[in-house]
Amino acid sequence: DTEVTQTPKHLVMGMTNKKSLKCEQHMGHRAMYWYKQKAKKPPELMFVYSYEKLSINESVPSRFSPECPNSSLLNLHLHALQPEDSALYLCASSRGGLVNNSPLHFGNGTRLTVT
Amino acid sequence: AQTVTQSQPEMSVQEAETVTLSCTYDTSESNYYLFWYKQPPSRQMILVIRQEAYKQQNATENRFSVNFQKAAKSFSLKISDSQLGDTAMYFCAFMISIQGAQKLVFGQGTRLTINP
């Protein structure tokens, strides 16, 4: 069982749709992450939240909009996506702060298909 | 910049054999952390083992061990008595702390298949 829960597991959306991916953790972690993973490739970092504040945006297009409502929740709002945005989206969390050897704990991901 | 290189795109061994996955990295940092993650078909990234760069002793976790050569910037993973459940994509990763969080830089991965 994963300690980081992502919903939905699968999502199919059209290019004009608006949808959201959700991520939840109850480990008391204060850093949360969104990664994008294409088939047979390693995960690529998109966003990092540290203590509910956006600390890293890896030059992600504005059609992806992250939100961290509280320390346990992380959302990724999607709007006007392109077919090339189809991928596995992974959420992760870590203790964050000065504990710099804290490993990341990953969820099972959301498989997104843009039609 | 930190880079991680895994030179073996695919490997295949028989069940119960020992297999070693290679990883090299490049960094100018003096204190850092290295990880191996596995990603089975279930998609979840699972932590296998971690190594602190300041520790000379190689990390071990049951059947998994690493050969950490800091001067050579090498971090290989050895799986002993391999099992069918070890079949997965294995990623070597380098971690840095940045702006109150930890950033992982992944290698390209090695797809490992354990055959019965």
Side-chain angles (χ1 to χ4, degrees):
Chain A
D1 289 341
T2 177
E3 297 170 318
V4 177
T5 304
Q6 290 187 243
T7 55
K9 291 183 179 180
H10 302 274
L11 178 63
V12 179
M13 62 184 289
M15 289 188 286
T16 58
N17 292 156
K18 286 184 180 181
K19 296 286 185 183
S20 297
L21 309 184
K22 296 186 182 301
C23 175
E24 188 170 3
Q25 58 87 16
H26 295 288
M27 294 178 282
H29 289 173
R30 303 310 298 271
M32 296 188 76
Y33 310 76
W34 280 115
Y35 280 83
K36 174 182 177 180
Q37 186 179 23
K38 301 286 276 186
K40 299 184 180 181
K41 295 291 186 182
E44 296 177 352
L45 183 65
M46 299 176 71
F47 302 104
V48 181
Y49 274 83
S50 177
Y51 291 82
E52 294 100 72
K53 287 184 169 39
L54 182 65
S55 62
I56 298 175
N57 176 344
E58 295 282 88
S59 302
V60 179
S62 60
R63 57 185 184 269
F64 295 91
S65 175
E67 179 196 20
C68 190
N70 59 55
S71 61
S72 300
L73 295 174
L74 184 67
N75 299 321
L76 186 62
H77 303 297
L78 314 172
H79 173 57
L81 294 193
Q82 304 296 310
E84 58 265 28
D85 296 322
S86 298
L88 180 67
Y89 288 83
L90 293 165
C91 174
S93 70
S94 70
R95 275 189 280 174
L98 298 177
V99 185
N100 58 5
N101 66 343
S102 171
L104 272 63
H105 296 252
F106 287 84
N108 282 344
T110 294
R111 176 77 65 194
L112 174 67
T113 302
V114 181
T115 61
Chain B
Q2 287 77 26
T3 59
V4 179
T5 302
Q6 293 178 249
S7 59
Q8 306 149 312
E10 294 187 19
M11 295 188 73
S12 178
V13 299
Q14 296 299 119
E15 192 176 7
E17 288 183 347
T18 294
V19 60
T20 299
L21 310 183
S22 64
C23 173
T24 58
Y25 60 93
D26 190 20
T27 183
S28 57
E29 302 280 337
S30 59
N31 190 24
Y32 50 87
Y33 302 87
L34 295 162
F35 299 84
W36 279 97
Y37 279 86
K38 65 182 279 189
Q39 189 176 36
S42 66
R43 308 181 328 199
Q44 187 187 4
M45 295 284 283
I46 301 168
L47 177 66
V48 175
I49 199 165
R50 62 175 150 175
Q51 174 80 42
E52 290 90 344
Y54 64 86
K55 288 186 178 180
Q56 292 187 338
Q57 185 174 6
N58 289 324
T60 62
E61 286 286 342
N62 301 313
R63 298 183 294 108
F64 300 87
S65 62
V66 299
N67 183 1
F68 175 49
Q69 301 290 327
K70 189 172 184 178
K73 294 181 180 175
S74 171
F75 182 60
S76 61
L77 174 69
K78 185 171 84 171
I79 306 174
S80 303
D81 186 26
S82 57
Q83 301 174 0
L84 297 179
D86 295 332
T87 292
M89 193 76 168
Y90 285 80
F91 292 100
C92 178
F94 179 100
M95 188 171 76
I96 57 173
S97 290
I98 180 168
Q99 298 178 27
Q102 286 74 48
K103 179 177 178 179
L104 280 175
V105 178
F106 289 94
Q108 291 299 304
T110 296
R111 183 170 300 280
L112 176 64
T113 302
I114 309 299
N115 299 307

